[in-house]
Amino acid sequence: QVQLAQSGGGLVQPGASLRLSCTASGRIGDFDGVGWFRQAPGMGRRFVARISWTGGRTFYADSLEGRVTISRDSATNTVFLQMNSLEFGDTGVYFCAAGHPDRGLWNYWGQGTQVTVSS
């Protein structure tokens, strides 16, 4: 099993920056990629970004590229999502997930963290 523990999030004003963290533990070898998803109120989860666990290749949702950066710290098994120039539409619950994204498989999910952009 793999456990994903999230931290970060909170209430911020438009234009602010925020960094979310996702730390993996357990059977680290059970996945080859980690991603972030956003679930807006009343909506399904939408892909934000992902990173391959070994090579560090990154992929972003077209609508967010340029405002978000995904990175990883191999020493602590932590993946970060840096979000800049936050907009009202960025509000939602952010989930990290681990799995085999090249096969469309997300097997493990974090607990979710709320991000609210409000003035």
Side-chain angles (χ1 to χ4, degrees):
Q1 284 290 335
V2 174
Q3 294 78 42
L4 300 176
Q6 296 181 223
S7 61
L11 173 64
V12 296
Q13 292 187 335
S17 296
L18 206 58
R19 189 176 80 162
L20 307 181
S21 301
C22 174
T23 300
S25 61
R27 296 173 61 89
I28 302 298
D30 274 2
F31 60 91
D32 55 33
V34 174
W36 286 96
F37 295 78
R38 178 178 71 211
Q39 186 165 17
M43 306 290 285
R45 293 181 189 180
R46 294 183 62 185
F47 170 76
V48 174
R50 66 177 172 99
I51 187 167
S52 61
W53 193 249
T54 52
R57 287 191 309 160
T58 58
F59 303 86
Y60 296 93
D62 290 343
S63 60
L64 295 170
E65 193 160 9
R67 291 199 299 119
V68 301
T69 303
I70 190 169
S71 61
R72 81 194 193 292
D73 180 346
S74 300
T76 60
N77 294 326
T78 300
V79 172
F80 303 99
L81 184 69
Q82 177 70 40
M83 300 187 290
N84 301 321
S85 302
L86 284 163
E87 304 170 353
F88 294 120
D90 295 321
T91 293
V93 179
Y94 284 72
F95 295 89
C96 67
H100 305 276
D102 288 344
R103 287 184 270 159
L105 296 175
W106 296 103
N107 306 97
Y108 308 100
W109 291 85
Q111 79 274 21
T113 187
Q114 178 71 44
V115 172
T116 302
V117 183
S118 175
S119 56

